[in-house]
């Protein structure tokens, strides 16, 4: 279930300044990258949680969806875990924890262990980058990570084979972040089928041509994969409506108004502040990738990833 949000902003002198260099992935019902995040004030037009009738002396129970079977389910379930205010009303929806790592960096065995680790730490959705030789929408850290993964032999087939073994063990959905070129080389129908067989629930293609959306979405729907699209404030209104309608799980909205922040997040303080703003999700990419990519060994990298990811997850309400 996707929530429609109407954001507005009010300035706050205490808001941290998170630098923005490039469009990066964000996730939430509506994901936004911000040059100078402001405190958002928004009204949810739909609710994802219900609260049982209170019983004196007892806290009511939230009616939660079952274990997520899709990205949309995961986002709805996360919102339904909102904190209770005085035991009776939801103070705010819980903010989704969405880590990003690159497949095959430093190797696919470590990636498999990292997926299990992040799932065990309570990730709500995991974004997995498919390494590509020209990752133009990424910054230097993820570009270097993709280069290491390719040098280590990470191919699309190898990544899919690894996912096919690991995803049945995970309780959260995996979303692949892939550029369009590798998909075209393999064939859109073949790629979508392989992704389904690998247990992938969502797909983000940052450079997907608008004219290709309709055809590729058919393949995605056929294989029960949520195609997550991007849009910007410069996009014509009619086209933006089409993109929002076609996108599933959430929409990537690249703008200067923060609703859910997916760039420049690296500390527990950042995560906590963004949750206070009422963000639907917080996405950690480059800072997460560094834990594996800059370690002296795979074992050290996984340990660093565990400590770092736990510190961010614990900072969320």
């Amino acid at each position: 279930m996707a929530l429609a949000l109407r954001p507005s902003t009010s300035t706050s002198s205490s808001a941290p300044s998170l630098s923005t260099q490039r469009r990066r992935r964000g996730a939430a019902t509506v994901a936004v990258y911000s040059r100078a995040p402001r405190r958002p004030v928004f009204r949810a037009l739909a609710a994802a949680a219900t609260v049982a009738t209170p019983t004196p002396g007892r806290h009511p129970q939230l009616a939660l969806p079952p274990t997520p079977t899709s990205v949309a389910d995961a986002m709805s379930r996360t919102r339904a875990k909102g904190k209770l205010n005085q035991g009776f009303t939801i103070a705010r929806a819980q903010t989704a924890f969405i880590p990003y790592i690159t497949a095959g960096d430093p190797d696919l065995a470590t990636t498999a262990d990292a997926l299990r680790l992040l799932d065990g730490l309570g990730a709500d959705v995991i974004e997995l980058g498919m390494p590509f030789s020209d990752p133009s929408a990424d910054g230097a850290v993820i570009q270097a990570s993709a280069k290491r993964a390719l040098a280590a032999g990470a191919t699309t087939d190898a990544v899919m084979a690894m996912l096919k073994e690991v995803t049945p063990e995970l309780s959260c959905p995996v979303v692949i972040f892939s550029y369009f070129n590798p998909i075209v080389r393999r064939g859109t129908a073949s790629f979508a089928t392989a992704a389904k067989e690998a247990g992938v629930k969502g797909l983000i293609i940052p450079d997907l041509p608008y004219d290709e959306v309709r055809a590729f979405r058919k393949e995605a729907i056929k294989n029960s994969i949520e195609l997550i699209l991007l849009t910007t404030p410069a996009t014509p209104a009619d086209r933006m409506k089409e993109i929002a309608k076609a996108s599933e799980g959430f929409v990537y909205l690249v703008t200067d108004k923060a609703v859910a922040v997916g760039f420049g997040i690296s500390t527990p303080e950042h995560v906590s502040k963004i949750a206070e703003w009422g963000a639907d999700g917080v996405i950690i990419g480059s800072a997460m990738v560094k834990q594996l990519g800059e370690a002296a060994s795979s074992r050290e990298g996984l340990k660093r990833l565990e400590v770092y990811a736990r510190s961010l997850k614990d900072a969320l309400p």
Side-chain angles (χ1 to χ4, degrees):
M1 172 180 176
L3 299 188
L5 303 179
R6 290 179 179 172
S8 62
T9 60
S10 60
T11 58
S12 171
S13 59
S14 62
S17 177
L18 305 179
S19 62
T20 299
Q21 299 173 13
R22 283 182 178 269
R23 179 176 66 193
R24 259 284 297 141
R25 27 219 167 287
T29 304
V30 179
V32 180
Y33 309 139
S34 172
R35 282 188 169 80
R38 298 178 179 179
R39 181 179 299 275
V41 181
F42 58 82
R43 176 166 60 89
L45 303 183
T50 59
V51 179
T53 302
T55 300
R58 297 183 60 188
H59 291 299
Q61 298 296 314
L62 289 174
L64 297 178
T67 300
T69 57
S70 68
V71 180
D73 284 347
M75 298 305 297
S76 293
R77 184 178 178 84
T78 301
R79 290 189 60 83
K81 293 177 183 177
K83 277 192 168 184
L84 298 182
N85 181 16
Q86 298 179 350
F88 296 104
T89 59
I90 296 178
R92 65 172 182 261
Q94 183 170 311
T95 303
F97 176 51
I98 308 174
Y100 169 96
I101 58 175
T102 302
D105 182 26
D107 54 61
L108 286 172
T110 302
T111 299
D113 288 339
L115 290 172
R116 298 183 183 101
L117 186 155
L118 292 170
D119 180 62
L121 290 174
D124 297 293
V125 178
I126 300 176
E127 283 189 28
L128 184 67
M130 187 72 74
F132 178 51
S133 58
D134 184 25
S136 57
D138 291 300
V141 171
I142 294 180
Q143 287 184 10
S145 178
K147 185 175 181 179
R148 289 191 299 268
L150 292 172
T155 64
T156 299
D157 285 343
V159 172
M160 294 297 190
M162 178 274 295
L163 285 171
K164 189 172 184 178
E165 292 186 7
V166 175
T167 52
E169 304 173 26
L170 307 180
S171 60
C172 71
V174 172
V175 173
I176 283 183
F177 184 100
S178 176
Y179 289 85
F180 195 46
N181 185 281
I183 296 174
V184 172
R185 287 204 308 260
R186 185 187 182 105
T188 55
S190 176
F191 187 94
T193 299
K196 177 184 179 180
E197 292 175 351
V200 173
K201 300 301 182 183
L203 183 61
I204 299 168
I205 310 172
D207 59 344
L208 178 65
Y210 178 73
D211 293 341
E212 300 283 349
V213 169
R214 183 171 298 179
F216 191 83
R217 184 170 181 263
K218 289 181 180 179
E219 293 297 336
I221 292 174
K222 188 186 303 181
N223 288 280
S224 302
I225 294 174
E226 291 164 292
L227 181 60
I228 299 162
L229 304 176
L230 297 88
T231 185
T232 76
T235 304
D238 290 345
R239 179 172 293 189
M240 188 179 292
K241 289 179 181 178
E242 292 179 17
I243 290 173
K245 182 178 180 180
S247 187
E248 299 173 293
F250 53 85
V251 176
Y252 270 61
L253 178 61
V254 183
T255 183
D256 61 356
K257 296 179 180 178
V259 174
V261 181
F263 189 87
I265 312 305
S266 61
T267 70
E269 291 74 23
H270 289 163
V271 168
S272 179
K273 177 60 68 175
I274 290 164
E276 288 178 11
W277 289 345
D280 293 301
V282 56
I283 304 86
I284 305 92
S286 295
M288 196 73 66
V289 168
K290 282 183 178 180
Q291 307 309 313
L292 292 171
E294 296 182 355
S297 66
S298 297
R299 182 174 181 179
E300 178 189 330
L302 289 168
K303 183 61 178 178
R304 287 179 51 170
L305 182 68
E306 179 180 10
V307 173
Y308 179 68
R310 190 185 301 278
S311 71
L312 299 182
K313 176 65 176 178
D314 289 346
L316 289 170

